[in-house]
């Protein structure tokens, strides 16, 4: 796009101020700014400004909100679970399953200098989230004799750093040709009056377009085509910050494929109605996830049973399976996909060219969420309940709820159970809390049964911190903190 085309387009949408400093920036910056302007989806943006910024949208109204039907947590001896395992394992062995991780977010709350996936989450090994997820795939490949392709979604904010991180770590033992990076699009932020924002004289304030943007990127960047070429028709979706997530869980895949689901979700049981997770429910018969920030709009979602438990208990841990065909259909229908707004403090360049860091929210960022695809399913989505321990440890910040520290505690308890079962009991304090750090490489064992079987000829000293590597060797480096 050249300057005069940019002027025309901006004038059409009332955003001419973006070129205010054009004459004062370098040629490279001019080129980059024009490229950013050319990439903006102005019709969508105009609609969002109209609906979300210049007007206060009325919340959707529903006559009926009902709990979603949920498959109870897997019990290996239950007949339906045995059948699901069979179906899931067959799909994995046949090479029908791929994995996708969304890792394009900005990770602002964690405040870590680098892609969130490169956060050294292991308390002893300092192994990163990416390494942990990669080792899960190594474990699955070994168990099922397959080569699961791994699709890694990045964004403009971390694409280069992420790819370099994988290269520097030799792709964590996976074949480079089985890992494909794909980039989601960015969405411009707007101020409270609907004007686009310059964060530098020649750069727009933008954010990645949300994990729902994966639907667009999977098709635009050729991922679904690659999947089809490899014979993959089912994708296991997870988020990079869930350390414990079971990647391509055979039970979950089995329920998904055998019930003809297009998109399936794991759900976890909320303990309190105000727990800060989205809720899976049926709104006038349509599958929805209502964000926790919207709970007050729908009082039914605050109802409790006589024992005080939430009636709508199906919390959203953001673990899904999507069929490739479904992704292609949602892509075609993406114009109907809902957007969400967040009021944020967005630094900006004022008319005098100075950088201002606002103290209160001054503008909006727009995002799409993958769970909104559930409402487009033609067949009933499968919802499988999980027990949080060993499956759900999202890392949003360093300490507190959903943090590095809480995740380490949960993982420690999870693995302590494995060590106990393998005949290497773990020391606990009087309250029963595990008092040493523990880590187990998923490439050594993916499940407790696998761990016990592989540990048969091993006796570990569990008086101090203990990490088990992929090959069964150990380290005991750091004290508990
Ligand atoms: P979050 O919404 O928790 O965002 O993303 P975040 O980037 O990790 O952290 P904050 O909110 O800035 O502190 C949940 C998951 O979705 C991915 C993230 O990388 C994370 O795995 N995500 C989020 C994307 O891939 N793209 C996005 O545009 C947004």
């Amino acid at each position: 796009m050249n300057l005069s085309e940019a002027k025309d387009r901006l004038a059409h949408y009332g955003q001419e101020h973006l070129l205010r400093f054009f004459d004062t920036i370098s040629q490279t910056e001019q080129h980059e700014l024009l490229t950013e302007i050319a990439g903006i989806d102005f019709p969508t943006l105009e609609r969002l400004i109209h609906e979300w910024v210049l007007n206060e949208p009325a919340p959707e109204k529903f006559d009926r909100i009902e709990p979603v039907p949920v498959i109870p947590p897997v019990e290996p001896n239950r007949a339906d679970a045995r059948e699901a395992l069979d179906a899931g394992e067959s799909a994995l062995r046949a090479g029908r399953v791929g994995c996708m991780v969304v890792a394009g977010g900005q990770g602002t709350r964690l405040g870590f200098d680098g892609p969130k996936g490169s956060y050294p989450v292991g308390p002893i090994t300092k192994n990163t989230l990416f390494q942990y997820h990669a080792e899960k795939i190594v474990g699955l490949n070994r168990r099922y004799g397959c080569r699961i392709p791994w699709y890694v979604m990045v964004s403009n904010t971390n694409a280069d750093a992420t790819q370099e991180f994988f290269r520097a770590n030799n792709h964590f033992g996976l074949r480079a040709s089985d890992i494909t990076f794909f980039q989601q699009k960015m969405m411009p932020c707007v101020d409270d009056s609907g004007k686009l924002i310059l964060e530098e004289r020649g750069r727009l304030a933008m954010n990645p377009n949300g994990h729902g943007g994966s639907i667009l990127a999977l098709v635009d960047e050729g991922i679904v085509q690659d999947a089809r070429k490899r014979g993959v028709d089912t994708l296991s979706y997870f988020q990079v910050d869930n350390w414990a997530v079971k990647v391509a869980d055979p039970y979950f895949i089995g329920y998904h494929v055998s019930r003809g689901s297009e998109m399936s979700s794991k759900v976890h049981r909320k303990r309190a109605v105000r727990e800060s997770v989205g809720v899976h429910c049926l709104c006038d018969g349509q599958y929805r996830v209502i964000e926790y920030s919207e709970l007050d709009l729908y009082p039914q979602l605050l109802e409790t049973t006589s024992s005080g438990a939430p009636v709508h208990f199906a919390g959203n841990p953001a673990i899904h399976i999507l069929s490739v065909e479904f992704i292609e259909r949602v892509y075609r229908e993406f114009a109907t996909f809902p957007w969400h707004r967040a009021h944020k403090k967005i630094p900006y360049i004022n008319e005098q060219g100075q950088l201002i860091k606002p103290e209160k929210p001054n503008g909006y960022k727009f995002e799409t969420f993958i769970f909104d695809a559930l409402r487009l399913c033609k067949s009933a989505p499968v919802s499988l309940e999980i027990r949080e321990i060993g499956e759900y440890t999202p890392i949003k910040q360093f300490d507190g709820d959903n943090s590095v520290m809480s995740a380490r505690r949960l993982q420690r308890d999870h693995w302590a159970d494995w060590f106990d079962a393998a005949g290497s009991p773990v020391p606990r304090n009087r309250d029963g809390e595990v008092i040493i750090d523990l880590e187990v490489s998923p490439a050594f064992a993916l499940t407790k049964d696998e761990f016990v079987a592989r540990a048969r000829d091993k006796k570990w000293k569990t008086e101090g911190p203990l990490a088990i590597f992929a090959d069964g060797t150990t380290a005991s480096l750091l004290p508990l903190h």
Side-chain angles (χ1 to χ4, degrees):
M1 171 176 278
N2 62 32
L3 179 58
S4 105
E5 285 165 344
K7 277 185 178 158
D8 285 350
R9 177 139 353 148
L10 293 174
H12 184 79
Y13 290 100
Q15 305 284 358
E16 306 89 319
H17 63 285
L18 293 187
L19 296 173
R20 184 181 282 145
F21 302 108
F22 198 78
D23 296 337
T24 69
I25 57 180
S26 70
Q27 266 189 358
T28 316
E29 289 166 328
Q30 288 180 341
H31 175 73
E32 283 170 1
L33 181 57
L34 292 177
T35 309
E36 280 186 341
I37 293 169
I40 298 175
D41 174 359
F42 276 105
T44 300
L45 193 65
E46 189 177 48
R47 177 168 64 81
L48 295 179
I49 293 169
H50 181 74
E51 285 172 11
W52 286 102
V53 181
L54 303 181
N55 292 292
E56 188 55 36
E60 279 185 284
K61 287 218 167 65
F62 305 110
D63 293 330
R64 268 177 311 127
I65 301 189
E66 299 155 292
V68 289
V70 167
I71 301 171
V74 164
E75 292 294 347
N77 291 329
R78 230 172 45 213
D80 64 299
R82 279 202 309 272
E83 280 162 27
L85 182 64
D86 259 8
E89 293 195 320
S90 305
L92 280 155
R93 283 202 190 91
R96 287 175 52 196
V97 181
C99 292
M100 67 178 275
V101 62
V102 290
Q106 292 164 300
T108 15
R109 285 166 287 174
L110 184 59
F112 172 63
D113 188 18
K116 213 188 216 184
S118 62
Y119 189 85
V121 69
I124 303 164
T125 60
K126 303 290 178 239
N127 281 350
T128 61
L129 288 163
F130 278 135
Q131 168 120 19
Y132 261 96
H133 297 321
E135 291 192 4
K136 294 172 198 174
I137 299 174
V138 169
L140 288 164
N141 285 346
R142 185 185 55 220
R143 199 202 272 173
Y144 296 113
C146 55
R147 271 175 59 187
I148 297 175
W150 189 14
Y151 302 114
V152 182
M153 187 169 87
V154 291
S155 69
N156 199 26
T157 63
N158 58 22
D160 294 344
T162 303
Q163 293 184 52
E164 182 46 39
F165 190 73
F166 272 69
R167 269 194 299 275
N169 285 281
N170 221 358
H171 299 88
F172 310 106
L174 291 164
R175 288 175 213 231
S177 58
D178 289 341
I179 300 177
T180 312
F181 299 89
F182 65 109
Q183 196 161 328
Q184 65 180 122
K185 291 225 164 65
M186 302 292 283
M187 192 69 183
C189 308
V190 299
D191 68 16
D192 287 345
S193 61
K195 295 291 176 197
L196 291 163
I197 298 172
L198 286 174
E199 65 175 18
E200 289 172 25
R201 286 164 175 251
R203 187 188 294 275
L204 289 171
M206 301 218 249
N207 57 271
N209 61 354
H211 36 68
S214 57
I215 297 285
L216 293 180
L218 282 164
V219 176
D220 289 339
E221 305 261 308
I223 300 302
V224 291
Q225 293 86 329
D226 181 83
R228 282 195 180 285
K229 223 184 295 155
R230 292 175 192 251
V232 166
D233 58 13
T234 304
L235 288 183
S236 157
Y237 166 103
F238 62 99
Q239 306 198 331
V240 74
D241 56 7
N242 184 1
W243 179 15
V245 66
K246 283 185 186 164
V247 170
D249 172 10
Y251 285 102
F252 189 28
I253 291 167
Y255 281 116
H256 173 87
V257 296
S258 61
R259 298 194 179 193
S261 172
E262 293 172 303
M263 176 168 177
S264 300
S265 307
K266 288 193 170 177
V267 299
H268 67 88
R269 191 167 283 268
K270 284 174 64 172
R271 282 176 288 262
V273 282
R274 293 278 174 195
E275 209 173 298
S276 56
V277 286
V279 189
H280 289 248
C281 47
L282 291 173
C283 298
D284 291 341
Q286 193 180 53
Y287 203 111
R288 295 287 180 105
V289 177
I290 305 280
E291 284 182 273
Y292 70 93
S293 57
E294 294 182 345
L295 283 184
D296 287 313
L297 299 175
Y298 306 105
Q300 302 98 309
L301 295 178
L302 302 175
E303 285 166 9
T304 53
T305 62
S306 54
S307 59
V311 172
H312 291 271
F313 67 83
N316 177 36
I319 305 165
H320 304 285
I321 296 179
L322 294 104
S323 79
V324 168
E325 211 176 310
F326 178 64
I327 292 167
E328 290 168 331
R329 180 157 69 73
V330 178
Y331 176 86
R332 293 194 295 275
E333 295 174 17
F334 203 80
T336 66
F337 219 75
W339 286 79
H340 302 252
R341 67 172 180 183
H343 207 200
K344 293 272 175 189
K345 291 184 227 165
I346 305 167
Y348 64 97
I349 300 288
N350 69 8
E351 285 178 25
Q352 290 70 43
Q354 297 151 330
L355 177 67
I356 309 291
K357 292 192 173 160
E359 283 175 3
K360 43 187 203 340
N362 60 324
Y364 291 92
K365 78 175 198 181
F366 301 111
E367 284 185 303
T368 53
F369 296 150
I370 190 74
F371 56 68
D372 283 320
L374 285 162
R375 67 179 70 178
L376 299 175
C377 287
K378 287 187 176 149
S379 57
V382 162
S383 307
L384 173 62
E385 185 180 339
I386 56 169
R387 298 185 184 86
E388 281 174 63
I389 185 142
E391 293 219 39
Y392 185 49
T393 55
I395 292 177
K396 304 295 177 191
Q397 51 185 341
F398 181 71
D399 210 349
D401 282 348
N402 297 335
S403 67
V404 175
M405 298 311 278
S406 62
R408 284 182 179 165
R409 269 193 303 277
L410 283 166
Q411 285 296 86
R412 190 155 73 215
D413 290 346
H414 173 58
W415 284 317
D417 178 43
W418 293 14
F419 279 93
D420 289 346
S424 299
V426 165
R428 291 175 166 81
N429 66 16
R430 270 204 224 135
D431 298 326
E433 290 161 357
V434 177
I435 55 166
I436 56 168
D437 272 332
L438 293 168
E439 278 184 67
V440 178
S441 159
F444 179 74
L446 285 165
T447 58
K448 180 160 126 184
D449 288 349
E450 211 168 72
F451 184 76
V452 171
R454 298 203 74 194
R456 203 168 293 130
D457 52 342
K458 302 206 162 39
K459 264 273 158 280
W460 287 305
K461 281 208 180 96
T462 42
E463 294 110 47
L466 186 64
I468 313 289
F469 292 103
D471 59 0
T473 55
T474 60
S476 181
L477 302 173
L478 294 175
L480 186 65
H481 41 257

